[in-house]
């Protein structure tokens, strides 16, 4: 089976306080999305990379990686899950029934090739897919009206990252059904869990951050530099 890579990159990055969407901000001299796609192009058994873009995106074409014939831009949707579903629908006519789909946020440029490879190898031996996640480090509080209700036991709590990889057909059905039913879907695994599938967890890396707030860009630059050493 082959692996199709699907990259939601249609966000506007409203939390970044920047005109430029975060996937196009410069990170060590290269746009964030360029970093992300260069790592993903090293996915084993790669069938192709689908990038979901905003309807008015005028920046993608100027990336060097846009000229790679394995990279295919499509138009995304209103929410992240809509962008992913748009990609899955695009793949429905092109993929084989037993292919996998690996979804990875455009805004996570610090994924390493070695973590990507070990993740793919581990999840390929699962039946219904898996995700990268890290145990939460902070003490967690349940808060209501600015006061602590209680401290939450964190021993079973992990923060989900991407990549997340699933059998393409199974994820398409689960996500389609979850969105139709109005289930809140903030990652692919949420739809898979809701549909009753077993999702494996592979330990991720604390450095595989999602660029969300303005200071994350400087942090990502440091993480990339440290990886080069
Ligand atoms: O905003 P957030 O950090 O959750 O976005 C995660 C990823 O989803 C980003 O790479 C963003 O570009 C993408 N996204 C998308 N379509 C949307 C919203 C976000 O592809 N409508």
């Amino acid at each position: 089976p082959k692996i199709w890579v699907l990259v939601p990159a249609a966000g506007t990055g409203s939390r970044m306080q920047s005109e430029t969407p975060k996937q196009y901000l410069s990170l060590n001299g290269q746009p964030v999305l360029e970093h992300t796609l260069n790592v993903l192009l090293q996915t084993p058994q790669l069938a192709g990379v689908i990038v979901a873009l905003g309807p008015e995106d005028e920046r993608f074409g100027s990336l060097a990686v846009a000229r790679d014939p394995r990279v295919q831009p499509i138009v995304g949707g209103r929410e992240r899950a809509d962008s992913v579903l748009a990609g899955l629908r695009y793949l429905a006519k092109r993929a084989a029934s037993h292919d996998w789909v690996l979804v990875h946020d455009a805004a996570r440029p610090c994924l390493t090739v070695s973590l990507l490879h070990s993740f793919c190898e581990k999840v390929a031996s699962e039946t219904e897919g898996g995700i990268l996640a890290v145990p939460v480090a902070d003490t967690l509080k349940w808060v209501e009206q600015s006061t602590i209700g209680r401290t939450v036991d964190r021993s079973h709590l992990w923060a989900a990252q991407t990549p997340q990889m699933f059998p393409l057909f199974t994820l398409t059905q689960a996500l389609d059904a979850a969105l139709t039913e109005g289930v809140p879907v903030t990652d692919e695994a949420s739809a898979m869990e809701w549909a009753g599938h077993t999702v494996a967890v592979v330990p991720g890396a604390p450095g595989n951050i999602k660029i969300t707030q303005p200071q994350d860009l400087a942090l990502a630059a440091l993480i990339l530099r440290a990886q080069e050493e």
Side-chain angles (χ1 to χ4, degrees):
K2 296 206 156 190
I3 301 177
W4 294 88
V5 170
L6 173 49
V7 183
T12 54
S14 51
R15 288 167 291 185
M16 278 303 280
Q17 297 153 29
S18 153
E19 277 287 295
T20 308
K22 58 188 175 182
Q23 57 273 29
Y24 293 113
L25 292 173
S26 175
L27 172 58
N28 292 351
Q30 257 189 355
V32 167
L33 185 55
E34 188 101 52
H35 284 276
T36 307
L37 292 177
N38 280 325
V39 175
L40 292 172
L41 280 165
Q42 302 187 59
T43 302
Q45 281 93 45
L46 179 66
V49 180
I50 313 304
V51 189
L53 303 174
E56 269 141 43
D57 187 297
E58 285 169 356
R59 295 177 170 95
F60 182 76
S62 56
L63 301 184
V65 79
R67 292 192 295 273
D68 190 303
R70 297 169 294 174
V71 175
Q72 177 63 50
I74 61 157
V75 177
R78 217 166 63 85
E79 305 289 336
R80 184 185 178 285
D82 303 312
S83 296
V84 172
L85 191 58
L88 292 171
R89 292 221 167 104
Y90 174 87
L91 286 175
K93 296 162 232 140
R94 292 163 177 89
S97 60
H98 53 283
D99 284 350
W100 291 89
V101 62
L102 179 149
V103 181
H104 184 65
D105 289 324
R108 288 189 194 268
C110 302
L111 174 69
T112 61
V113 173
S114 73
L115 184 56
L116 171 66
H117 283 184
S118 62
F119 171 76
C120 289
E121 196 183 304
K122 282 179 192 143
V123 177
S125 68
E126 300 286 336
T127 327
E128 298 184 308
I131 74 168
L132 279 187
V134 287
V136 297
D138 296 320
T139 298
L140 297 177
K141 306 295 186 189
W142 183 276
V143 176
E144 274 170 42
Q145 291 160 352
S146 304
T147 55
I148 296 173
R150 61 192 171 89
T151 299
V152 180
D153 173 15
R154 70 177 180 204
S155 60
H156 290 280
L157 294 179
W158 291 58
Q161 300 186 334
T162 67
Q164 305 200 347
M165 186 166 95
F166 303 100
L168 192 135
F169 184 72
T170 315
L171 178 63
T172 307
Q173 281 199 319
L175 190 58
D176 203 349
L179 291 181
T180 305
E181 295 287 319
V183 175
V185 176
T186 48
D187 68 348
E188 291 57 60
S190 336
M192 292 291 289
E193 296 149 30
W194 172 79
H197 299 295
T198 304
V199 180
V201 172
V202 177
N208 180 25
I209 62 166
K210 186 174 72 170
I211 294 175
T212 306
Q213 317 275 356
Q215 66 269 25
D216 295 337
L217 204 58
L219 183 56
L222 285 173
I223 293 168
L224 287 180
R225 290 235 162 86
Q227 287 170 359
E228 283 162 15
E229 279 164 16

